[in-house]
């Protein structure tokens, strides 16, 4: 909200960064003297969003999430970044932006979708959540949750993976890291329970995917659910930079383009030929 000084000069309050001719202030601290070389980037990212300095356990879980989401190979976001760079090698920012814009409901967006889904359930039962050790209680809540979603023909975010059909290797590791650091809260416990009970409703067993467990972990850190996709994009930015660096060293963008272009065939829209 804009404020005004006594002389009518507009002021724009911020709790983030400001600067003058001699110094830069960030989060109320001198950037050069108090933060550089003393605060890691993951810690700073959490601090910027929450406006409180995170504890070491928060940082360990958060950085594990960033590592889990950084890169998954030639996903559509990575291919888009490489092909945009092929078309406009003078625009690294355009290539990065193109890849990030592809973060949606199928890729990267699951982190936010799962976190928000779990958050809605947790927020609806603030006084009736099971104790941490009450696995049966969490299973009952999860079973009710999955049944309602199934009856409403809604998918349960975080279930299933196009490659990891039995187990996503990231999921048990992040659960262990959260447990070891005292950050395994109601969102992760509910997500675990969903993994145990969903076959009773769906009639098949699906893995809890890494994007979903990352969303649950971020929600347990108290981060705004409306920003969870932003953290997934923060992680993926590092991966896309890696793809750009590799594209410079050993380009494949032209091969991808030519493979599609040279194998394109006209298809009669009527289906007659």
């Amino acid at each position: 909200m804009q404020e005004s000084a006594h002389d009518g000069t507009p002021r724009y309050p911020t709790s983030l960064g400001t600067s003058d001719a001699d110094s830069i202030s960030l989060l109320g601290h001198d950037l050069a003297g108090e933060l550089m070389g003393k605060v890691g980037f993951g810690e700073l990212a959490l601090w910027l969003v929450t406006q409180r300095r995170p504890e070491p356990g928060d940082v360990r879980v958060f950085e594990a999430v960033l590592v889990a989401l950084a890169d998954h190979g030639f996903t559509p976001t990575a291919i888009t970044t490489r092909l945009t760079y092929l078309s406009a090698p003078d625009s690294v920012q355009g290539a990065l932006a193109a890849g990030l814009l592809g973060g949606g409901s199928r890729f990267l967006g699951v982190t936010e979708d799962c976190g928000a889904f779990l958050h809605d359930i947790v927020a609806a039962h603030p006084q009736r959540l099971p104790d941490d050790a009450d696995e049966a209680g969490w299973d009952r809540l999860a079973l009710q949750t999955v049944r309602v979603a199934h009856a409403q023909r809604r998918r349960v975010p975080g279930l299933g993976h196009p490659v990891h059909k039995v187990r996503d290797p990231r999921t048990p590791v992040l659960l262990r890291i959260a447990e070891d650091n005292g950050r395994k809260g109601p969102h992760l416990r509910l997500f675990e329970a969903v993994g145990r009970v969903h076959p009773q409703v769906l009639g098949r067993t699906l893995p809890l995917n890494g994007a979903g467990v990352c969303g649950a972990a971020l929600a347990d850190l108290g981060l705004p659910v409306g920003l969870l996709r932003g953290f997934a994009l923060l992680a993926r930015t590092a991966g896309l930079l890696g793809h750009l660096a590799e594209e410079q060293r050993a380009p494949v963008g032209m091969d991808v383009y030519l493979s599609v272009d040279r194998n394109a065939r006209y298809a009669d829209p009527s289906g007659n030929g």
Side-chain angles (χ1 to χ4, degrees):
M1 179 182 297
Q2 181 182 326
E3 298 176 350
S4 297
H6 294 302
D7 62 359
T9 303
R11 291 179 175 174
Y12 301 90
T14 178
S15 299
L16 302 176
T18 58
S19 62
D20 56 31
D22 302 309
S23 66
I24 301 173
S25 175
L26 183 61
L27 296 163
H29 294 265
D30 179 71
L31 176 67
E34 298 180 81
L35 300 181
M36 292 174 61
K38 301 172 184 177
V39 175
F41 182 69
E43 180 180 358
L44 180 64
L46 269 179
W47 197 350
L48 287 167
V49 173
T50 63
Q51 294 289 292
R52 58 174 176 80
R53 187 163 190 171
E55 297 180 0
D58 299 325
V59 177
R60 279 190 284 273
V61 172
F62 181 67
E63 291 189 341
V65 167
L66 295 183
V67 171
L69 297 174
D71 180 61
H72 299 161
F74 283 100
T75 59
T77 57
I79 294 170
T80 298
T81 288
R82 287 182 182 246
L83 291 182
T84 302
Y85 182 74
L86 170 68
S87 181
D90 53 318
S91 180
V92 169
Q93 72 275 19
L96 277 175
L100 294 175
L101 287 171
S105 59
R106 291 187 176 177
F107 293 87
L108 295 177
V110 175
T111 296
E112 178 179 291
D113 295 343
C114 186
F117 177 83
L118 297 169
H119 180 74
D120 286 346
I121 305 304
V122 169
H125 300 80
Q127 306 301 325
R128 295 183 288 119
L129 289 175
D131 294 334
D132 288 350
D134 183 9
E135 187 172 292
W138 287 107
D139 284 356
R140 286 192 295 272
L141 179 58
L143 188 59
Q144 176 189 354
T145 298
V146 177
R147 281 174 172 163
V148 169
H150 186 63
Q152 296 175 345
R153 299 184 180 276
R154 296 170 56 205
R155 66 182 182 87
V156 178
L159 277 180
H161 193 279
V163 176
H164 308 299
K165 300 298 186 182
V166 177
R167 188 185 75 161
D168 189 317
R170 297 168 294 176
T171 299
V173 174
L174 189 52
L175 286 167
R176 175 180 54 78
I177 292 171
E179 182 78 66
D180 290 347
N181 287 279
R183 298 303 186 274
K184 188 175 178 182
H187 302 87
L188 282 170
R189 295 185 189 281
L190 178 58
F191 191 55
E192 265 193 309
V194 167
R196 292 191 295 266
V197 306
H198 75 271
Q200 299 177 45
V201 180
L202 304 185
R204 55 178 177 151
T205 300
L206 299 170
L208 296 175
N209 63 51
V213 75
C214 285
L218 292 174
D220 272 344
L221 291 179
L223 297 171
V225 293
L227 291 180
L228 298 190
R229 188 175 302 188
F231 294 111
L233 294 172
L234 174 65
R236 188 52 56 90
T237 299
L240 295 180
L241 276 171
H243 278 276
L244 284 173
E246 188 171 76
E247 189 65 21
Q248 292 178 344
R249 294 192 306 268
V252 299
M254 183 64 77
D255 293 335
V256 172
Y257 156 62
L258 291 176
S259 177
V260 175
D261 183 67
R262 298 298 179 263
N263 290 288
R265 296 292 181 268
Y266 174 76
D268 189 326
S270 67
N272 295 324

PDB file of all heavy atoms in Angstrom, residues 205-232:
ATOM      1  N   THR A 205      -3.123 -49.927  -7.246  1.00  0.00           N
ATOM      2  CA  THR A 205      -2.125 -49.270  -6.414  1.00  0.00           C
ATOM      3  C   THR A 205      -1.253 -48.363  -7.273  1.00  0.00           C
ATOM      4  O   THR A 205      -0.678 -48.804  -8.280  1.00  0.00           O
ATOM      5  CB  THR A 205      -1.233 -50.307  -5.710  1.00  0.00           C
ATOM      6  OG1 THR A 205      -2.050 -51.140  -4.892  1.00  0.00           O
ATOM      7  CG2 THR A 205      -0.190 -49.623  -4.847  1.00  0.00           C
ATOM      8  N   LEU A 206      -1.193 -47.092  -6.885  1.00  0.00           N
ATOM      9  CA  LEU A 206      -0.390 -46.109  -7.588  1.00  0.00           C
ATOM     10  C   LEU A 206       0.691 -45.578  -6.647  1.00  0.00           C
ATOM     11  O   LEU A 206       0.473 -45.480  -5.435  1.00  0.00           O
ATOM     12  CB  LEU A 206      -1.263 -44.940  -8.061  1.00  0.00           C
ATOM     13  CG  LEU A 206      -2.386 -45.291  -9.045  1.00  0.00           C
ATOM     14  CD1 LEU A 206      -3.312 -44.093  -9.231  1.00  0.00           C
ATOM     15  CD2 LEU A 206      -1.792 -45.712 -10.386  1.00  0.00           C
ATOM     16  N   PRO A 207       1.846 -45.203  -7.177  1.00  0.00           N
ATOM     17  CA  PRO A 207       2.891 -44.657  -6.301  1.00  0.00           C
ATOM     18  C   PRO A 207       2.591 -43.209  -5.912  1.00  0.00           C
ATOM     19  O   PRO A 207       1.922 -42.478  -6.651  1.00  0.00           O
ATOM     20  CB  PRO A 207       4.143 -44.721  -7.186  1.00  0.00           C
ATOM     21  CG  PRO A 207       3.611 -44.570  -8.583  1.00  0.00           C
ATOM     22  CD  PRO A 207       2.287 -45.289  -8.586  1.00  0.00           C
ATOM     23  N   LEU A 208       3.059 -42.836  -4.743  1.00  0.00           N
ATOM     24  CA  LEU A 208       3.047 -41.425  -4.368  1.00  0.00           C
ATOM     25  C   LEU A 208       4.208 -40.755  -5.096  1.00  0.00           C
ATOM     26  O   LEU A 208       5.365 -41.108  -4.874  1.00  0.00           O
ATOM     27  CB  LEU A 208       3.216 -41.273  -2.855  1.00  0.00           C
ATOM     28  CG  LEU A 208       2.106 -41.839  -1.972  1.00  0.00           C
ATOM     29  CD1 LEU A 208       2.508 -41.712  -0.503  1.00  0.00           C
ATOM     30  CD2 LEU A 208       0.787 -41.144  -2.232  1.00  0.00           C
ATOM     31  N   ASN A 209       3.899 -39.802  -5.972  1.00  0.00           N
ATOM     32  CA  ASN A 209       4.979 -39.261  -6.784  1.00  0.00           C
ATOM     33  C   ASN A 209       5.770 -38.158  -6.075  1.00  0.00           C
ATOM     34  O   ASN A 209       5.327 -37.578  -5.079  1.00  0.00           O
ATOM     35  CB  ASN A 209       4.477 -38.799  -8.161  1.00  0.00           C
ATOM     36  CG  ASN A 209       3.472 -37.661  -8.084  1.00  0.00           C
ATOM     37  OD1 ASN A 209       3.709 -36.647  -7.445  1.00  0.00           O
ATOM     38  ND2 ASN A 209       2.340 -37.836  -8.759  1.00  0.00           N
ATOM     39  N   GLY A 210       6.955 -37.897  -6.602  1.00  0.00           N
ATOM     40  CA  GLY A 210       7.867 -36.951  -5.979  1.00  0.00           C
ATOM     41  C   GLY A 210       7.345 -35.536  -5.956  1.00  0.00           C
ATOM     42  O   GLY A 210       7.564 -34.797  -4.988  1.00  0.00           O
ATOM     43  N   ALA A 211       6.649 -35.131  -7.016  1.00  0.00           N
ATOM     44  CA  ALA A 211       6.102 -33.774  -7.036  1.00  0.00           C
ATOM     45  C   ALA A 211       5.069 -33.600  -5.932  1.00  0.00           C
ATOM     46  O   ALA A 211       4.995 -32.551  -5.283  1.00  0.00           O
ATOM     47  CB  ALA A 211       5.478 -33.480  -8.399  1.00  0.00           C
ATOM     48  N   GLY A 212       4.266 -34.651  -5.692  1.00  0.00           N
ATOM     49  CA  GLY A 212       3.264 -34.576  -4.648  1.00  0.00           C
ATOM     50  C   GLY A 212       3.872 -34.514  -3.260  1.00  0.00           C
ATOM     51  O   GLY A 212       3.450 -33.703  -2.422  1.00  0.00           O
ATOM     52  N   VAL A 213       4.875 -35.347  -2.994  1.00  0.00           N
ATOM     53  CA  VAL A 213       5.493 -35.333  -1.671  1.00  0.00           C
ATOM     54  C   VAL A 213       6.219 -34.017  -1.438  1.00  0.00           C
ATOM     55  O   VAL A 213       6.280 -33.514  -0.312  1.00  0.00           O
ATOM     56  CB  VAL A 213       6.437 -36.546  -1.481  1.00  0.00           C
ATOM     57  CG1 VAL A 213       7.736 -36.375  -2.224  1.00  0.00           C
ATOM     58  CG2 VAL A 213       6.701 -36.801  -0.007  1.00  0.00           C
ATOM     59  N   CYS A 214       6.733 -33.415  -2.507  1.00  0.00           N
ATOM     60  CA  CYS A 214       7.354 -32.096  -2.368  1.00  0.00           C
ATOM     61  C   CYS A 214       6.314 -31.053  -1.970  1.00  0.00           C
ATOM     62  O   CYS A 214       6.568 -30.192  -1.116  1.00  0.00           O
ATOM     63  CB  CYS A 214       8.031 -31.689  -3.682  1.00  0.00           C
ATOM     64  SG  CYS A 214       9.578 -32.557  -4.006  1.00  0.00           S
ATOM     65  N   GLY A 215       5.128 -31.119  -2.573  1.00  0.00           N
ATOM     66  CA  GLY A 215       4.063 -30.194  -2.191  1.00  0.00           C
ATOM     67  C   GLY A 215       3.646 -30.354  -0.748  1.00  0.00           C
ATOM     68  O   GLY A 215       3.423 -29.371  -0.033  1.00  0.00           O
ATOM     69  N   ALA A 216       3.558 -31.610  -0.299  1.00  0.00           N
ATOM     70  CA  ALA A 216       3.193 -31.867   1.094  1.00  0.00           C
ATOM     71  C   ALA A 216       4.266 -31.342   2.038  1.00  0.00           C
ATOM     72  O   ALA A 216       3.957 -30.762   3.090  1.00  0.00           O
ATOM     73  CB  ALA A 216       2.985 -33.369   1.307  1.00  0.00           C
ATOM     74  N   ALA A 217       5.534 -31.549   1.674  1.00  0.00           N
ATOM     75  CA  ALA A 217       6.630 -31.086   2.521  1.00  0.00           C
ATOM     76  C   ALA A 217       6.655 -29.560   2.605  1.00  0.00           C
ATOM     77  O   ALA A 217       6.860 -28.983   3.684  1.00  0.00           O
ATOM     78  CB  ALA A 217       7.961 -31.601   1.979  1.00  0.00           C
ATOM     79  N   LEU A 218       6.438 -28.890   1.483  1.00  0.00           N
ATOM     80  CA  LEU A 218       6.420 -27.424   1.485  1.00  0.00           C
ATOM     81  C   LEU A 218       5.253 -26.902   2.317  1.00  0.00           C
ATOM     82  O   LEU A 218       5.381 -25.897   3.038  1.00  0.00           O
ATOM     83  CB  LEU A 218       6.342 -26.901   0.053  1.00  0.00           C
ATOM     84  CG  LEU A 218       7.571 -27.146  -0.828  1.00  0.00           C
ATOM     85  CD1 LEU A 218       7.292 -26.698  -2.264  1.00  0.00           C
ATOM     86  CD2 LEU A 218       8.807 -26.435  -0.293  1.00  0.00           C
ATOM     87  N   ALA A 219       4.107 -27.563   2.231  1.00  0.00           N
ATOM     88  CA  ALA A 219       2.957 -27.150   3.036  1.00  0.00           C
ATOM     89  C   ALA A 219       3.249 -27.331   4.523  1.00  0.00           C
ATOM     90  O   ALA A 219       2.853 -26.498   5.349  1.00  0.00           O
ATOM     91  CB  ALA A 219       1.719 -27.947   2.632  1.00  0.00           C
ATOM     92  N   ASP A 220       3.966 -28.398   4.876  1.00  0.00           N
ATOM     93  CA  ASP A 220       4.327 -28.606   6.280  1.00  0.00           C
ATOM     94  C   ASP A 220       5.328 -27.573   6.773  1.00  0.00           C
ATOM     95  O   ASP A 220       5.443 -27.346   7.985  1.00  0.00           O
ATOM     96  CB  ASP A 220       4.894 -30.015   6.480  1.00  0.00           C
ATOM     97  CG  ASP A 220       3.810 -31.046   6.758  1.00  0.00           C
ATOM     98  OD1 ASP A 220       2.680 -30.643   7.092  1.00  0.00           O
ATOM     99  OD2 ASP A 220       4.087 -32.257   6.646  1.00  0.00           O
ATOM    100  N   LEU A 221       6.055 -26.933   5.860  1.00  0.00           N
ATOM    101  CA  LEU A 221       6.953 -25.847   6.252  1.00  0.00           C
ATOM    102  C   LEU A 221       6.190 -24.538   6.467  1.00  0.00           C
ATOM    103  O   LEU A 221       6.785 -23.527   6.837  1.00  0.00           O
ATOM    104  CB  LEU A 221       8.033 -25.647   5.198  1.00  0.00           C
ATOM    105  CG  LEU A 221       9.084 -26.755   5.069  1.00  0.00           C
ATOM    106  CD1 LEU A 221      10.077 -26.429   3.962  1.00  0.00           C
ATOM    107  CD2 LEU A 221       9.815 -26.995   6.389  1.00  0.00           C
ATOM    108  N   GLY A 222       4.887 -24.561   6.220  1.00  0.00           N
ATOM    109  CA  GLY A 222       4.064 -23.376   6.440  1.00  0.00           C
ATOM    110  C   GLY A 222       4.098 -22.384   5.301  1.00  0.00           C
ATOM    111  O   GLY A 222       3.702 -21.225   5.482  1.00  0.00           O
ATOM    112  N   LEU A 223       4.533 -22.821   4.121  1.00  0.00           N
ATOM    113  CA  LEU A 223       4.610 -21.908   2.979  1.00  0.00           C
ATOM    114  C   LEU A 223       3.223 -21.720   2.360  1.00  0.00           C
ATOM    115  O   LEU A 223       2.399 -22.630   2.379  1.00  0.00           O
ATOM    116  CB  LEU A 223       5.587 -22.455   1.938  1.00  0.00           C
ATOM    117  CG  LEU A 223       7.028 -22.559   2.441  1.00  0.00           C
ATOM    118  CD1 LEU A 223       7.898 -23.312   1.449  1.00  0.00           C
ATOM    119  CD2 LEU A 223       7.604 -21.174   2.700  1.00  0.00           C
ATOM    120  N   PRO A 224       2.949 -20.532   1.821  1.00  0.00           N
ATOM    121  CA  PRO A 224       1.625 -20.276   1.230  1.00  0.00           C
ATOM    122  C   PRO A 224       1.345 -21.245   0.082  1.00  0.00           C
ATOM    123  O   PRO A 224       2.157 -21.361  -0.848  1.00  0.00           O
ATOM    124  CB  PRO A 224       1.739 -18.829   0.727  1.00  0.00           C
ATOM    125  CG  PRO A 224       2.879 -18.233   1.480  1.00  0.00           C
ATOM    126  CD  PRO A 224       3.835 -19.344   1.750  1.00  0.00           C
ATOM    127  N   VAL A 225       0.218 -21.919   0.135  1.00  0.00           N
ATOM    128  CA  VAL A 225      -0.072 -22.919  -0.891  1.00  0.00           C
ATOM    129  C   VAL A 225      -0.186 -22.285  -2.278  1.00  0.00           C
ATOM    130  O   VAL A 225       0.097 -22.940  -3.281  1.00  0.00           O
ATOM    131  CB  VAL A 225      -1.342 -23.723  -0.547  1.00  0.00           C
ATOM    132  CG1 VAL A 225      -1.122 -24.586   0.676  1.00  0.00           C
ATOM    133  CG2 VAL A 225      -2.540 -22.804  -0.352  1.00  0.00           C
ATOM    134  N   GLY A 226      -0.582 -21.026  -2.336  1.00  0.00           N
ATOM    135  CA  GLY A 226      -0.677 -20.357  -3.623  1.00  0.00           C
ATOM    136  C   GLY A 226       0.657 -20.045  -4.273  1.00  0.00           C
ATOM    137  O   GLY A 226       0.706 -19.616  -5.425  1.00  0.00           O
ATOM    138  N   LEU A 227       1.750 -20.284  -3.546  1.00  0.00           N
ATOM    139  CA  LEU A 227       3.089 -20.037  -4.089  1.00  0.00           C
ATOM    140  C   LEU A 227       3.883 -21.320  -4.308  1.00  0.00           C
ATOM    141  O   LEU A 227       5.041 -21.247  -4.738  1.00  0.00           O
ATOM    142  CB  LEU A 227       3.877 -19.123  -3.141  1.00  0.00           C
ATOM    143  CG  LEU A 227       3.410 -17.672  -3.028  1.00  0.00           C
ATOM    144  CD1 LEU A 227       4.315 -16.910  -2.053  1.00  0.00           C
ATOM    145  CD2 LEU A 227       3.423 -16.980  -4.392  1.00  0.00           C
ATOM    146  N   LEU A 228       3.307 -22.475  -4.020  1.00  0.00           N
ATOM    147  CA  LEU A 228       4.080 -23.705  -4.096  1.00  0.00           C
ATOM    148  C   LEU A 228       4.591 -23.985  -5.496  1.00  0.00           C
ATOM    149  O   LEU A 228       5.696 -24.510  -5.668  1.00  0.00           O
ATOM    150  CB  LEU A 228       3.243 -24.886  -3.592  1.00  0.00           C
ATOM    151  CG  LEU A 228       2.791 -24.816  -2.124  1.00  0.00           C
ATOM    152  CD1 LEU A 228       2.186 -26.147  -1.699  1.00  0.00           C
ATOM    153  CD2 LEU A 228       3.937 -24.431  -1.209  1.00  0.00           C
ATOM    154  N   ARG A 229       3.817 -23.643  -6.509  1.00  0.00           N
ATOM    155  CA  ARG A 229       4.306 -23.849  -7.875  1.00  0.00           C
ATOM    156  C   ARG A 229       5.526 -22.970  -8.141  1.00  0.00           C
ATOM    157  O   ARG A 229       6.431 -23.353  -8.890  1.00  0.00           O
ATOM    158  CB  ARG A 229       3.219 -23.547  -8.905  1.00  0.00           C
ATOM    159  CG  ARG A 229       3.625 -23.926 -10.325  1.00  0.00           C
ATOM    160  CD  ARG A 229       2.500 -23.724 -11.327  1.00  0.00           C
ATOM    161  NE  ARG A 229       1.325 -24.503 -10.959  1.00  0.00           N
ATOM    162  CZ  ARG A 229       0.256 -24.623 -11.743  1.00  0.00           C
ATOM    163  NH1 ARG A 229       0.216 -24.005 -12.909  1.00  0.00           N
ATOM    164  NH2 ARG A 229      -0.782 -25.341 -11.348  1.00  0.00           N
ATOM    165  N   GLY A 230       5.562 -21.813  -7.498  1.00  0.00           N
ATOM    166  CA  GLY A 230       6.716 -20.939  -7.656  1.00  0.00           C
ATOM    167  C   GLY A 230       8.001 -21.586  -7.173  1.00  0.00           C
ATOM    168  O   GLY A 230       9.072 -21.406  -7.773  1.00  0.00           O
ATOM    169  N   PHE A 231       7.913 -22.362  -6.086  1.00  0.00           N
ATOM    170  CA  PHE A 231       9.115 -23.038  -5.600  1.00  0.00           C
ATOM    171  C   PHE A 231       9.530 -24.156  -6.552  1.00  0.00           C
ATOM    172  O   PHE A 231      10.719 -24.415  -6.731  1.00  0.00           O
ATOM    173  CB  PHE A 231       8.871 -23.588  -4.196  1.00  0.00           C
ATOM    174  CG  PHE A 231       8.669 -22.515  -3.174  1.00  0.00           C
ATOM    175  CD1 PHE A 231       7.431 -22.309  -2.577  1.00  0.00           C
ATOM    176  CD2 PHE A 231       9.707 -21.667  -2.821  1.00  0.00           C
ATOM    177  CE1 PHE A 231       7.244 -21.311  -1.638  1.00  0.00           C
ATOM    178  CE2 PHE A 231       9.527 -20.658  -1.887  1.00  0.00           C
ATOM    179  CZ  PHE A 231       8.289 -20.473  -1.295  1.00  0.00           C
ATOM    180  N   ALA A 232       8.550 -24.827  -7.150  1.00  0.00           N
ATOM    181  CA  ALA A 232       8.887 -25.833  -8.161  1.00  0.00           C
ATOM    182  C   ALA A 232       9.583 -25.175  -9.350  1.00  0.00           C
ATOM    183  O   ALA A 232      10.541 -25.723  -9.909  1.00  0.00           O
ATOM    184  CB  ALA A 232       7.617 -26.556  -8.613  1.00  0.00           C
TER     185      ALA A 232
END
